Each structure stands twice: as structure tokens, then as C-alpha cells.
Amino acid sequence: MEKKIIQMSKEIVNMKNFDLRMYYKYVNEYGVVFVNDVEKIDVQVLKKDDQTKQLLDGAVFEVSIVQNDKKELLLKKKAEAGVLNVEVPYGKTIQVCEVEAPIGYQLSSQCQTVEIKPDKKETVQIEFLNCRKEIPVILYKKDAETNQLLEGAVFEVTGPEGSSTMISTKTGTAVSGFYYGDQITVCEVKAPAGYELALKPCQTVTLSKDSE
């Protein structure tokens, strides 16, 4: 006789009105096998800024069960407000990979593999730290009529913390050290030979995803 398998939670078995005699009747006479729920533990995947340690919104993770060198995808989900919660059965090994970074941050290239040991009782936390993505700022100086690139202008670039850098431009000069969300001010302090300063010598911009 083919046995039928019925999933039975521990809550049902522990109920006061649970009829143990009927349980054995099903097992012995009808060949039914009752299977208890597999115990699980909460796993938290945390996404943080590597400097400030603040939680970051927007990262997407893949969580897979690893067994005998094979991976089975458990879920692919966005970490809301920097936290992704997932239930994992005890005794399993999981691999967590970041597949999409928060805006303005570099993707974590290393996956993390964790074994969920049977004696583990507390919530398991897996932490990913991300570096901010640097956005290059390129300064151009052009002739107002011909749109031709000019050399020799000198600019003062002021960053979000108030520090300033003097830059002498060629046909296109890149300025490094700025990141997504930074607000910078660029002022022309010296025009190329034979030219006047720009009508609007200062421009303030906030670096965004569109600035990349």
C-alpha cells in the first residue's frame, strides 16, 4: 500500500484536543506518514555604508541553499531600508550574493556563505559593507561662438566640506574625489588668454546618478 504523506505542524500536535489514538490509527491502518514542520531560523542580511555604518536602502540580494556543490535559489529580493529578512532551515548552508547595489554605491563582488548550525538559537546576521561610487567631474572651457574647447582657464572647485582646489584646464580636465549626493561649486577665477571670465563664473551642482 502506498503511503500518503501529510504535513503536520508542531502547533497542531501540541494542541490539547489532539487525538493521539486517531494519529496511530491513521499510521497503522491507512499507511499515513505525518511529517513535522522543519525548524527554521531567522537570517538578517544587512546592507551598510562602509564608513558611516548606516543602513542603505535599495540593494538586491540572491539567497541560495548550497548542497553538494549545487545551488538552489531560495529568493531574490530587495533589502528594504537596508534589511532583508529570510527564514532558513536549520542545518542548511546558504550563500548570499548582492546582485544590485544601492544608488551611488559599488557592488559587493564577494558572496558570503554561512552554515546554519542546529545549535544556533539567535538570529543570524550577515553584513555587507559598500563603498561609495566616485563620480568624476570633467571641466570644459569653450568659446561662446564656435563652441571650440579652450585651454588655460583656471577654476576653483569647492567640495561639500568646504575644501577648495585650483584647477588649470586643458581641453577637458577631470576632477576626482567626489561622490553621489555631493554638492560642489565650480568658479572660473582666470580666463584663457584673450578671453574674459564667463558671464556666470560660478556654478553649483549636486552629483546624481545622471552625472555618471
Side-chain angles (χ1 to χ4, degrees), residues 96-112:
V96 183
C97 300
E98 182 184 13
V99 295
E100 186 176 329
I103 294 175
Y105 285 81
Q106 298 180 20
L107 186 71
S108 295
S109 58
Q110 296 293 327
C111 298
Q112 295 193 44

Side-chain angles (χ1 to χ4, degrees), residues 18-178:
F18 179 76
D19 193 335
L20 193 59
R21 291 173 299 173
M22 289 301 298
Y23 170 82
Y24 286 113
K25 178 180 177 65
Y26 276 106
V27 172
N28 296 323
E29 295 186 18
Y30 301 106
V32 174
V33 177
F34 290 88
V35 181
N36 284 352
D37 288 339
V38 177
E39 285 197 72
K40 298 180 179 180
I41 190 170
D42 292 326
V43 175
Q44 279 190 339
V45 182
L46 306 177
K47 186 66 175 179
K48 295 182 179 181
D49 183 290
D50 70 327
Q51 297 296 321
T52 66
K53 301 301 185 291
Q54 289 183 331
L55 292 169
L56 304 173
D57 185 50
V60 177
F61 292 96
E62 286 185 352
V63 182
S64 303
I65 300 291
V66 180
Q67 188 172 6
N68 299 327
D69 296 327
K70 294 183 179 180
K71 290 197 306 181
E72 179 184 352
L73 183 64
L74 187 61
L75 63 81
K76 179 180 179 180
K77 193 174 181 181
K78 178 181 177 181
E80 300 290 347
V83 180
L84 173 62
N85 293 299
V86 56
E87 287 188 332
V88 178
Y90 279 104
K92 297 294 185 180
T93 298
I94 61 170
Q95 185 182 75
V96 183
C97 300
E98 182 184 13
V99 295
E100 186 176 329
I103 294 175
Y105 285 81
Q106 298 180 20
L107 186 71
S108 295
S109 58
Q110 296 293 327
C111 298
Q112 295 193 44
T113 301
V114 178
E115 180 184 357
I116 309 300
K117 297 182 179 180
D119 60 348
K120 188 71 175 176
K121 300 303 180 184
E122 303 85 9
T123 298
V124 176
Q125 291 190 337
I126 303 173
E127 188 174 86
F128 282 79
L129 300 178
N130 277 58
C131 301
R132 296 174 69 191
K133 183 185 294 184
E134 188 171 316
I135 299 179
V137 177
I138 302 178
L139 305 178
Y140 294 101
K141 180 66 178 180
K142 296 181 179 181
D143 184 289
E145 295 181 0
T146 66
N147 214 34
Q148 181 179 357
L149 291 171
L150 303 173
E151 295 185 7
V154 177
F155 292 93
E156 181 181 30
V157 182
T158 304
E161 297 180 358
S163 58
S164 298
T165 303
M166 303 299 288
I167 302 294
S168 179
T169 63
K170 295 184 178 179
T171 53
T173 300
V175 185
S176 60
F178 298 112

Side-chain angles (χ1 to χ4, degrees), residues 171-191:
T171 53
T173 300
V175 185
S176 60
F178 298 112
Y179 301 90
Y180 173 85
D182 283 350
Q183 185 178 80
I184 64 171
T185 300
V186 181
C187 295
E188 183 183 15
V189 294
K190 181 181 178 182

